[in-house]
Amino acid sequence: MNTNQSSGGAAGPMSTFMPMNIDAHPLEFTGSGGEYFRVWIVNVLLSIVTLGIYTPWARRRTAQYFYSHTLVAGSPLEFTAQQRKMVMGFVLLMLLTIAYNLAANTGQDTAVGLFLLAGAALAPFIWASAMRFRLGATRWRGLRLQFTASWKEVYIASWPVFALALVWFGVFYGLQLLSPDLAQALEAIEEEGKKQPMPRFTPAMGGLVLLGLVLSVLCVIRTEYNFKSLLVLKAQVGAERGRWKPVYMDFVKVWMATVAVFILCVVGFSALIGILAGSSIALVASQSDRLGLWMFVVIIVSIIAGIFMLILASAPARAYREARMFQLMWNNIGVSHVARFKCHLKSGRYVWLRIKNMLLTLLTLGLYRPFARVSEYRMKCESVTLHVKGGVEQVTGAMVRQQQGGLGDALADAAGLDLIG
Amino acid sequence: MSASAHPALVPGRWFDGQSSKARPVVVSLRPTPQGPSLVLHPLSQPGAEPVVFAWKQVGWPEAWNERKPQPRVVVDLRDHGSVEIDAVAEWRAALAAAGERPGIAQRMQTRWPVLLGVTAAAVIGLTLFYRYGTPWAATQLTRFVPISWETSVAENVLQQMDNGTLKPSKLPSARQDQLKARFDALVQQTPPGLQRYSGYRPPLSLEFRSGMGANAFALPGGKIVMTDGIVKAAADKGLDDNALVGVLAHEVGHVVQRHTTRMVVQQGVLNMGLGLALGDVSGIVSTGASLLTGLAYSRSHEREADCYAIAVMRHAALPTAPMGQLLLAIARDEDNEETQKKDLGKGPTAAASAPSSGASTPDAARQRKVAQEIGSHPVWSLLSSHPDTVERATELERGQAPHCAKN
């Protein structure tokens, strides 16, 4: 209540007398699952009543809830996107979706092809627009974040996307060279729509496809690396720019560890499924008098279980990758010479939390989702500590006005990229 | 909280948007017709004029929790930076005193009765919209769909089915011609008052195929396909051709009421609307909801086609009872078959755009069987694409149904 107190908050008093002093500010999240459930159920209800038109308002409320409960060095973040722009972006996106669906459903192949091609060519542009909107709408202690990358830089950073297309073009061309029969068989399929005996699959062809797969994974990792580093390096708070330390190999290591986790999970789950399937067949055999209905039940149950297991088997690997990537990022980035971040997120704990949340969400048909979202956000947020050299009051910058022509950015933002997460 | 003469002063920290340095301020709120306006009194420069921001110039933070306010709120002053306030309870009290009118979202957020009221409105509104609104909208939108699109879709579907499950008919051509003559006569005798789409005159034609058991289905654009199985089934039961003519009248009903096109539109509205509204709850819930609603639409289309058949047959002075008997007989046959070999595949009928002669789809047969075993639980009927066969057959035998419009 004291107006003279600086906003040190829980981090204790700050020293502005000794500029070289480094203060540690752990990030705080002051929201709760129950409270966010209320926010979320209001959004869901209003979306139902308005037939989905409430979506942009819901997105804004969600962002504002999470931002305003996230304290960075004692000051909450602000989400200041203009509602009008978000609505216009959403309406445009819906019109595009309807146009695409109309084209797809009425069999206008050229239009569908054009849509997909334009989407692919514009993907880097869309990503950059969304980032510009997101960062431009984020404010802390009155200062706006900014994403200052030019379109040229964005397209140069997305070279791996185009390399990926080249790789697969090369693989198909190489396959046709290695095996002329295959080319003929493919043509025959196109002409008649009938199946012909496929030609023999030689080890050389297998090697080529494997090479293509490895190269495409490397391209995907490079894309992720390029975009993330561009995002950090071209982000700005006031006049201070982002700092970025990770190298490409750090990303490759995380991906390799993820693949290892995935393989382990698949092996584990296959064993489990084997046991379950065996016991259910035994159960059916003992109930042979009402085989008809039981068979039906067993088939339905096994289909559901199969899909479920697929999600379940990949979930730990996905959570693991997310945790490792989060650590890598937040241990190695900073804001010019003013601030650095440290992260002490535990991968094991995060993976466990995600599995628990997924099971509870499935069991409650999605009603647990807001609690899950809050608990994951809290664990990530509170694992980060901000180290500031010389106090948080020193960041200055030319005032950045809210962009006036940001409608395209709002559209890009509506198109994807969950606000929170 | 405070006397109206002296609006409460709330302490805060102002960030001007140029630097991260905080400046002490005091904020007060004044009631205006649009809503409270905000007055900012800077404390760092003595004698500085207070700045007034109108209701529209401020991004007001939403109250998330009435009983336990958050530790710190930020008021968005747009280009003039933002104000951080620690005394959240005083801030809320000052807002209330200055006549703040919270939006519907905030009232739902902080007041249980409002939340419950909107929940009730949502349930009722959703039911009404998907029960009456979507079918009505689909009926209207279908007016703009050209018949050429329907014909091209029908050609594609039939081509695919001919490559797959359907075989050329083995019926003697004399028998085929005989049925085609009955079909043409039926089309000639259709009363004009039954048209839902005036000016929609698709070229109706009848074709024969074998495969797919005892069945008949209508393709959009006017092509109707009858399988050898259903012709044989009618003969086996000793039913005359009026049974088959009834089935054809039902299929003509699907065509002239443009059920396939309406279904495409309805399913589109469903997937998009329910996906947006329930997508955030979970994919299972939104897909399940659109699946169940889609099945309900399918049942209502079957009833409509039955009504059409009853009306046309009455106008042509033909009995509908044989058709009802045929439905029941086919359902019974398939039941018996199914108890012998457990054929659970849904069959190719799902691919056909408007599969009909309901009893013959494995769906309906299974539903009947399950109903017998579990004791006819109403929940199972929600999972069927066709109304209950016994009920339909009874209505057809009586030649009238309660849900048909009187004409």
Side-chain angles (χ1 to χ4, degrees), chain A residues 85-277:
Chain A
K85 231 166 251 175
M86 289 182 80
V87 173
M88 299 280 278
F90 172 78
V91 169
L92 264 175
L93 180 72
M94 282 299 113
L95 290 179
L96 279 176
T97 313
I98 291 171
Y100 174 79
N101 279 337
L102 265 181
N105 277 333
T106 53
Q108 293 175 22
D109 292 338
T110 17
V112 172
L114 275 179
F115 257 108
L116 292 178
L117 206 66
L122 290 178
F125 175 82
I126 293 169
W127 173 82
S129 302
M131 289 304 124
R132 216 166 59 170
F133 183 80
R134 185 74 46 80
L135 291 191
T138 305
R139 205 155 63 161
W140 175 73
R141 291 177 75 99
L143 289 178
R144 272 182 207 294
L145 302 190
Q146 275 175 281
F147 184 54
T148 57
S150 67
W151 300 127
K152 198 175 144 204
E153 285 168 326
V154 171
Y155 270 89
I156 289 174
S158 49
W159 67 263
V161 180
F162 300 97
L164 187 67
L166 267 182
V167 165
W168 282 101
F169 186 75
V171 167
F172 280 116
Y173 191 71
L175 279 182
Q176 293 199 350
L177 272 186
L178 282 172
S179 155
D181 300 354
L182 180 70
Q184 281 173 9
L186 282 176
E187 265 171 37
I189 288 172
E190 265 177 28
E191 274 166 21
E192 293 163 40
K194 299 272 178 200
K195 283 211 177 118
Q196 280 200 346
M198 284 298 280
R200 231 158 34 83
F201 200 71
T202 60
M205 289 161 70
L208 190 64
V209 171
L210 196 68
L211 181 73
L213 280 176
V214 170
L215 279 178
S216 25
V217 170
L218 287 178
C219 279
V220 169
I221 302 174
R222 188 77 215 189
T223 314
E224 193 187 10
Y225 175 80
N226 281 2
F227 278 13
K228 284 208 160 128
S229 64
L230 191 72
L231 179 62
V232 173
L233 283 170
K234 294 292 168 184
Q236 226 172 290
V237 195
E240 315 285 346
R241 285 184 170 269
R243 254 159 68 89
W244 172 262
K245 279 200 304 187
V247 292
Y248 178 53
M249 272 317 284
D250 294 338
F251 274 56
V252 175
K253 279 181 207 154
V254 170
W255 277 72
M256 274 160 54
T258 305
V259 170
V261 170
F262 179 67
I263 290 171
L264 264 177
C265 291
V266 167
V267 169
F269 276 113
S270 321
L272 201 69
I273 289 171
I275 295 164
L276 283 178

Side-chain angles (χ1 to χ4, degrees), chain B residues 110-157:
Chain B
T110 49
R111 288 173 213 171
W112 283 109
V114 183
L115 184 64
L116 290 178
V118 176
T119 311
V123 170
I124 295 168
L126 197 68
T127 315
L128 287 178
F129 179 77
Y130 291 109
R131 178 79 183 75
Y132 302 104
T134 314
W136 180 84
T139 308
Q140 301 309 315
L141 281 175
T142 300
R143 293 185 199 282
F144 301 103
V145 178
I147 192 167
S148 56
W149 178 78
E150 291 187 338
T151 334
S152 75
V153 169
E155 267 170 21
N156 271 334
V157 170

Side-chain angles (χ1 to χ4, degrees), chain B residues 1-247:
Chain B
M1 284 292 290
S2 58
S4 54
H6 290 283
L9 295 171
V10 183
R13 283 181 300 279
W14 178 43
F15 299 98
D16 62 359
Q18 314 262 16
S19 88
S20 59
K21 195 168 158 46
R23 300 181 205 183
V25 287
V26 168
V27 171
S28 65
L29 298 167
R30 283 185 199 153
T32 66
Q34 291 83 39
S37 70
L38 187 144
V39 187
L40 190 74
H41 310 269
L43 297 181
S44 48
Q45 306 138 270
E49 279 293 298
V51 195
V52 182
F53 297 91
W55 168 256
K56 287 270 173 212
Q57 292 172 302
V58 178
W60 302 94
E62 193 178 331
W64 305 107
N65 194 335
E66 202 88 301
R67 278 171 302 160
K68 193 175 143 287
Q70 62 201 90
R72 202 159 288 158
V73 293
V74 184
V75 185
D76 176 13
L77 300 180
R78 309 276 149 88
D79 285 344
H80 297 274
S82 46
V83 179
E84 251 179 52
I85 291 169
D86 291 340
V88 180
E90 289 173 42
W91 161 257
R92 299 251 34 113
L95 262 179
E100 184 210 21
R101 287 184 299 272
I104 179 77
Q106 181 168 325
R107 271 181 283 151
M108 284 167 73
Q109 178 75 33
T110 49
R111 288 173 213 171
W112 283 109
V114 183
L115 184 64
L116 290 178
V118 176
T119 311
V123 170
I124 295 168
L126 197 68
T127 315
L128 287 178
F129 179 77
Y130 291 109
R131 178 79 183 75
Y132 302 104
T134 314
W136 180 84
T139 308
Q140 301 309 315
L141 281 175
T142 300
R143 293 185 199 282
F144 301 103
V145 178
I147 192 167
S148 56
W149 178 78
E150 291 187 338
T151 334
S152 75
V153 169
E155 267 170 21
N156 271 334
V157 170
L158 194 58
Q159 185 70 46
Q160 276 173 19
M161 295 178 75
D162 277 342
N163 288 338
T165 45
L166 290 181
K167 306 267 173 315
S169 169
K170 291 186 198 68
L171 279 185
S173 65
R175 177 72 177 129
Q176 288 191 16
D177 290 343
Q178 196 184 1
L179 284 169
K180 274 182 183 161
R182 289 293 308 268
F183 177 74
D184 292 337
L186 178 81
V187 173
Q188 294 299 319
Q189 281 173 309
T190 304
L194 276 177
Q195 301 288 357
R196 181 193 278 265
Y197 292 98
S198 57
Y200 180 72
R201 296 272 183 283
L204 292 162
S205 65
L206 174 62
E207 299 205 8
F208 294 91
R209 295 282 191 281
S210 78
M212 265 175 59
N215 211 335
F217 57 89
L219 292 165
K223 208 167 262 180
I224 287 161
V225 176
M226 204 169 215
T227 66
D228 293 1
I230 196 167
V231 180
K232 190 171 163 290
D236 287 352
K237 306 294 166 218
L239 293 164
D240 58 10
D241 282 354
N242 284 336
L244 293 175
V245 172
V247 171

Side-chain angles (χ1 to χ4, degrees), chain A residues 330-373:
Chain A
W330 291 95
N331 270 325
N332 291 292
I333 63 173
V335 182
S336 72
H337 297 287
V338 181
R340 274 186 338 121
F341 294 98
K342 278 286 162 213
C343 169
H344 55 85
L345 185 69
K346 301 268 181 297
S347 305
R349 273 188 64 204
Y350 186 73
V351 170
W352 177 239
L353 178 74
R354 280 278 294 264
I355 293 172
K356 192 188 88 186
N357 282 344
M358 191 178 72
L359 291 177
L360 283 171
T361 306
L362 278 170
L363 277 178
T364 55
L365 290 174
L367 285 179
Y368 189 73
R369 178 154 294 179
F371 296 92
R373 212 175 269 174

Side-chain angles (χ1 to χ4, degrees), chain B residues 266-282:
Chain B
Q266 282 172 350
Q267 207 66 47
V269 173
L270 268 187
N271 290 346
M272 202 155 144
L274 287 176
L276 273 175
L278 298 176
D280 208 29
V281 181
S282 79

